[in-house]
Amino acid sequence: MFKSLSKRISAPISKSLRTAQPARAFSVHEHSSVELFSQNGVAVPLGFVATTPQEAFEAAKKIGGETVVKAQVLAGGRGKGHFKNGFQGGVHVAKTPEEARDLASKMIGQTLVTKQTGEAGKECHKVFIVEKKQIVHEYYFAILLDRSSYGPVLVASSFGGMDIEGVAAKDPSAIHKLPIDINKGIQLSDAEHLASELGFKDSNKQAAVDTMMKLYELFIKSDATQIEINPLGETSDGKVLCMDAKLNFDDNATFRQAKLTELIDISQVDPRETEAKKWDLNYIGLDGNIGCLVNGAGLAMATMDIIKMYGGEPANFLDLGGTANEKTICEAFKIVAADPKVNAILVNIFGGIIRCDAVAQGIINAVNQQKLTIPVVVRLQGTNVELGKKLMKDSGIAIFAYDDLKPAASKVVELNNQAIESRK
Ligand code: GDP
Ligand code: MN
């Protein structure tokens, strides 16, 4: 959701940069977010997490009355999603604890596909059982980081509920945006202004203002990059409650957010990203079929652009960063090569701190260890480049080596096209 909304509120950014964005953030499950809200004085419905249908039964019994059974996967659009077993919807109302148990049994252990997960979907290992509140109005409320105002922006709409992207597309004026000066922080008048614009009932305005102020405090102190609540519910008994919570946090702040990183559910993260992190590498999955091994984000962008210029599409890029060595380069190469979509690999390294001979040896080791047959194009420049080239030549491995990026990119696209052609 951050992707689609930020597209509307930000200055245009390159598609490749936008695709790369999620890797800078990590997110946690709704039930963890709700707990964070609760700890910070933000009103939420009573809820318990369940990993088995029986636990769902017991949770619903403890809550009493009707409950909402919610699939815990790291993606939005659960309400309108479907499970691969054919069961429709990742959010359901249960009238009785027995019904909660039955619903949980159809969700736990299944894969939920929503418009944000793509075809692959996300595995659902637990459900969140919450008390069902009588909602009289559903709002949308989010705090995002906005490029055009260089800071946080409050985004809200009185047309909350399911499909905020649809609302934004149909009637942009229904989305209210309020940039916040990050140095001054949120002012009471900001929140009051927004609550009035949204049309909160007078009796509930104070609760809405209070919620916005507290969410902003949490946003700042947790190094969040996104807090999204849809719906923010106004109840018949005069309360304002966060009925849903999607939080993302800045990956670069993990060193001071140890508590938050403990909440990360590894089952929801692309395993290649996790593997890359283990070696201090940055992996970004993309949609094409040319694997890219590069060092530095700038070189990564240039590499992707030139591949596209020659008519190819990158399958991923793996940024070695500055601390790579022969061992991590070998692991990096294995990660890129392990993607079944990858037909050919382009290595584009400018050896500065990383020496070209270490890059060459890392690649040779990976190819030998994994008995890889994928064609590899290498463009090396910089420290120890001659030694690197000699190593590759002497290894006997079929590597296409180039000094310049253009012929290297053209070659890798050609090899990719050949692979596609030969499968026809
Ligand atoms: P999403 O589809 O992933 O954003 O999941 P939501 O948590 O927003 O659930 C989808 C829809 O179910 C919401 O738009 C609400 O209308 C409804 N819903 C979700 N949670 C609750 C809840 O706690 N109480 C009630 N009454 N409705 C809820
Ligand atoms: Mn929602």
Side-chain angles (χ1 to χ4, degrees), residues 68 70 77-79 91 130 133 135 138 161 230-231 243-244 246:
V68 185
K70 311 180 82 176
R78 294 166 302 171
V91 178
V130 294
K133 288 281 191 177
I135 304 178
E138 294 187 340
N230 189 24
M243 319 297 291
D244 171 23
K246 301 206 168 66

